Amino acid sequence: MKLLRVGKQGEETVAALDTTNKIRDLSNHIKNLNPETLKEENLNKLKKVDLSKLKEIDPKTRIGSCISNPVDFFAIGLNYKAHADGTKSKLPSEPIVFNKSSGCIQGPNDPIKKPSSALKMDYEVEIAIIIGREGKNISKNNAQDFVFGYCIVNDISERSWQKERGGQWVKGKSIAGPCGPYLVTKEEISNIN
C-alpha cells in the first residue's frame, strides 16, 4: 500500500492511493501513522479494504509527513562511497550514526524555515526505513522481517553548524526533515536494491 497523511498541519487524515492514484480517506480504519499503529496486524486489515469505495480526497489537499511522532529518527552518515568521495571525506570503517530531531519532521512540500543565522544550508535525498516491530540482536538475514515500509526523506542540513561548531551533527541536521509523500509498505517493492 501507499499510505499518506493529508490535511492541515496537526490535523492530518490517514489516506491511501488507490490503483488509479486517487487519494482515498482511510480515517474510519486507522487514525494515524505512528509507532502505535504501524503494525503488521493493522496493515493486514487495511489490505482487505476496498479503497475504491472510500471517499476521495481532493488531490490539492496538503500532504503531511507520512509518519507522525516516531520514537527515533536515526540516520547514517556517509552511507555510500560516492557520497564520501563527493564530500572529500574518508570512508568510515564503522557507520556514522546520528539523530535528527523528530520535531523537524514535516510534509514533503511544506516550506523549509531557514534559521536567520544559517550560513550553509544543504539537502540530500534519502530513503527512510520505517520499522514496524521491536527487536534486538537481529541478524542481517532477518532484518527485513522488522521493516514496515519505506519513504523518501529530504535531509536538510546546516553544514556550518554540523561541521564547524564542535562536531555534533544533530544540531546541523535537525533544521528540517520533509518526509513522504508516501509510506510505501515493503510488499510493494519487489527488489529492495
Side-chain angles (χ1 to χ4, degrees):
M1 294 187 86
K2 291 179 181 163
L3 302 167
L4 61 162
R5 296 169 64 249
V6 297
K8 292 179 184 175
Q9 191 166 7
E11 300 175 18
E12 292 90 350
T13 296
V14 179
L17 283 190
D18 68 14
T19 57
T20 63
N21 288 326
K22 291 180 180 166
I23 302 172
R24 301 293 183 156
D25 186 339
L26 270 177
S27 63
N28 286 335
H29 300 278
I30 188 167
K31 294 300 176 197
N32 208 342
L33 299 176
N34 61 35
E36 298 299 315
T37 61
L38 293 174
K39 310 277 186 211
E40 195 169 335
E41 63 205 38
N42 287 337
L43 179 58
N44 290 335
K45 289 176 191 173
L46 293 176
K47 286 180 189 176
K48 295 174 185 173
V49 174
D50 183 351
L51 297 178
S52 68
K53 296 199 183 323
L54 299 179
K55 180 179 115 188
E56 188 176 339
I57 296 175
D58 183 344
K60 294 179 186 151
T61 304
R62 174 191 168 270
I63 298 174
S65 171
C66 59
I67 185 169
S68 68
N69 303 315
V71 174
D72 288 304
F73 190 171
F74 287 117
I76 308 296
L78 300 175
N79 55 0
Y80 55 98
K81 186 177 184 316
H83 182 50
D85 292 345
T87 59
K88 298 182 174 115
S89 300
K90 181 182 172 193
L91 199 60
S93 58
E94 287 286 321
I96 298 171
V97 180
F98 63 91
N99 286 73
K100 284 181 75 76
S101 166
S102 60
C104 76
I105 291 176
Q106 63 185 71
N109 303 313
D110 291 344
I112 305 300
K113 295 178 183 165
K114 179 184 179 274
S116 59
S117 62
L119 304 173
K120 296 181 180 177
M121 295 287 287
D122 196 7
Y123 65 93
E124 300 170 81
V125 177
E126 306 286 357
I127 294 176
I129 300 169
I130 311 298
I131 305 300
R133 288 175 43 195
E134 289 186 26
K136 288 186 179 193
N137 303 314
I138 301 163
S139 72
K140 185 176 178 180
N141 292 339
N142 295 328
Q144 284 294 315
D145 295 341
F146 294 80
V147 173
F148 185 88
Y150 305 89
C151 75
I152 299 297
V153 171
N154 192 348
D155 179 18
I156 306 296
S157 304
E158 207 309 312
R159 298 294 187 199
S160 66
W161 296 1
Q162 176 190 349
K163 296 182 175 185
E164 299 166 13
R165 295 180 62 189
Q168 298 173 14
W169 282 26
V170 70
K171 65 187 169 193
K173 289 289 197 172
S174 294
I175 303 297
C179 295
Y182 314 118
L183 189 171
V184 180
T185 56
K186 70 179 176 182
E187 80 282 349
E188 290 279 321
I189 302 171
S190 58
N191 181 350
I192 193 61
N193 295 314

